[in-house]
Amino acid sequence: MVDTHTFVPEAVEEIENEVGDANAVIALSGGVDSSVAAALAYEAIGDRLTPVYVDTGLMRKGETSQIRETFDYMESLRIVDAKDRFLEALSGVTDPEEKRAVIGEQFIREFEREATDADADYLVQGTIYPDRIESEGGIKSHHNVGGLPDVVDFEGIVEPVRDLYKDEVRDVARHLGLEEVVAERMPFPGPGLAVRVIGEVTEEKLEVARHACHVVEEELEEYEPWQALAAVIGKATGVKGDNRVHGWVVSVRSVESRDGMTARAQEIDWETLQRIQSRITGENDTVARVVYDVTHKPPATIEYE
Ligand code: XMP
């Protein structure tokens, strides 16, 4: 495990040395990795760091306001409302890797504009050890590795948590005094809810996935999952009131893992599963069914696309 007492000052010093008197930029995602990287970098260079949060419209419930609150102390924080541009770019795109590519490209466009505006020479990233391993292995195109460094002609890339596992990043977050909700927040994929709706990304599907993810995170908190989520996986027939409806099928998933590279589906008691089902179908008229995913990783992945 990382010794946070030595890690933090060393990381801050390393950032100071690397960036010198220049400006830097970081893309905040709302997750713990980029939050920690930003907090370390801000400690090192203050407002010469511009943290950029792009609201893609693919974020979890309450994520944008959480960011605003947590990083309120950074005067240089920029929040970009890009929801409409992302939805437009994703219109008609159904292939999972193409979806990731479109999101990555749109993200780069948004970020590039902000980085140029901030006159940034350095890019700070919250890349952690498992991200590097999976990307090098070509398992999935994580858009937070590769991509960004190539767009703006940065002088250098700074990755202060590159050798840490997720649980170590959480330790550092607590050490830095980041709010518990940030330190404990479940991992969330860069492409956001787009990989939790199968097929084309539409506002309706996103709304269902966002609400269902929120219910699942709330109801499964006591199980302390590595990650608990819900995905819109298709349509099926159901009965609402006196009518047969063709509604969304929502799949609920809860896994234990250390680093996301392998994972075990959690055993959840029937009563909790039923409560989740009843909230998701009851609070959302367009959902006809809720299923529970019992597949480990491998053979499945944690996310759906
Ligand atoms: P999978 O679905 O590949 O996910 O089993 C493993 C872990 O990585 C997260 N994930 C991503 N994180 N960008 C990210 O930053 C991505 O494109 C991405 N795809 C998956 C996923 O949520 C899980 O924690």
Side-chain angles (χ1 to χ4, degrees), residues 12 14-15 22 34 40 61 82-84 91 97 99 139 141 156 198 219 258 282 301:
V12 170
E14 192 185 316
I15 300 166
S34 61
L40 290 168
K61 189 167 182 235
K83 293 193 222 47
D84 293 346
S91 156
E97 283 300 307
K99 265 158 85 170
I139 297 172
S141 50
I198 289 182
E219 296 292 341
R258 178 172 189 223
T301 50

Side-chain angles (χ1 to χ4, degrees), residues 24-25 111 115 120-123 148-157:
V25 68
F111 190 72
D121 304 302
Y122 285 84
L123 174 68
L148 283 188
D150 306 331
V151 278
V152 188
D153 202 9
F154 290 112
E155 231 167 83
I157 316 273

Side-chain angles (χ1 to χ4, degrees), residues 32-239:
V32 66
D33 307 341
S34 61
S35 297
V36 166
L40 290 168
Y42 196 78
E43 200 164 318
I45 62 167
D47 280 324
R48 279 188 291 114
L49 173 76
T50 301
V52 176
Y53 171 76
V54 178
D55 184 352
T56 59
L58 309 168
M59 318 307 287
R60 281 176 281 196
K61 189 167 182 235
E63 197 124 47
T64 304
S65 42
Q66 181 61 51
I67 289 271
R68 218 182 278 280
E69 243 171 70
T70 308
F71 297 103
D72 190 44
Y73 73 101
M74 301 183 180
E75 276 186 25
S76 45
L77 173 67
R78 292 190 190 193
I79 294 184
V80 182
D81 181 358
K83 293 193 222 47
D84 293 346
R85 295 191 286 277
F86 273 85
L87 259 189
E88 164 122 28
L90 282 165
S91 156
V93 181
T94 55
D95 177 75
E97 283 300 307
E98 201 186 329
K99 265 158 85 170
R100 281 171 179 272
V102 167
I103 293 166
E105 276 161 32
Q106 186 62 38
F107 191 88
I108 284 168
R109 228 166 278 146
E110 304 285 342
F111 190 72
E112 186 176 23
R113 189 186 57 233
E114 300 300 318
T116 310
D117 212 48
D119 200 15
D121 304 302
Y122 285 84
L123 174 68
V124 182
Q125 293 208 118
T127 317
I128 64 170
Y129 185 67
D131 296 340
R132 289 200 285 142
I133 298 306
E134 285 214 342
S135 284
E136 280 159 20
I139 297 172
K140 202 174 262 187
S141 50
H142 283 219
H143 88 252
N144 53 348
V145 181
L148 283 188
D150 306 331
V151 278
V152 188
D153 202 9
F154 290 112
E155 231 167 83
I157 316 273
V158 187
E159 295 179 320
V161 293
R162 65 184 173 274
D163 295 325
L164 304 188
Y165 279 95
K166 185 71 94 182
D167 45 357
E168 296 177 313
V169 180
R170 293 192 199 287
D171 283 346
V172 176
R174 280 186 286 266
H175 179 94
L176 289 169
L178 283 177
E179 288 165 63
E180 206 56 10
V181 50
V182 177
E184 293 306 324
R185 195 131 215 208
M186 289 172 196
F188 190 62
L193 295 175
V195 294
R196 296 184 181 172
V197 304
I198 289 182
E200 189 181 1
V201 178
T202 63
E203 223 163 343
E204 185 185 339
K205 281 193 210 169
L206 285 176
E207 204 37 62
V208 171
R210 184 175 294 116
H211 168 262
C213 281
H214 174 66
V215 169
V216 166
E217 284 196 22
E218 255 184 20
E219 296 292 341
L220 293 180
E221 202 180 342
E222 67 189 89
Y223 283 84
E224 297 181 353
W226 151 272
Q227 216 165 352
L229 56 101
V232 177
I233 60 171
K235 279 202 146 184
T237 300
V239 185

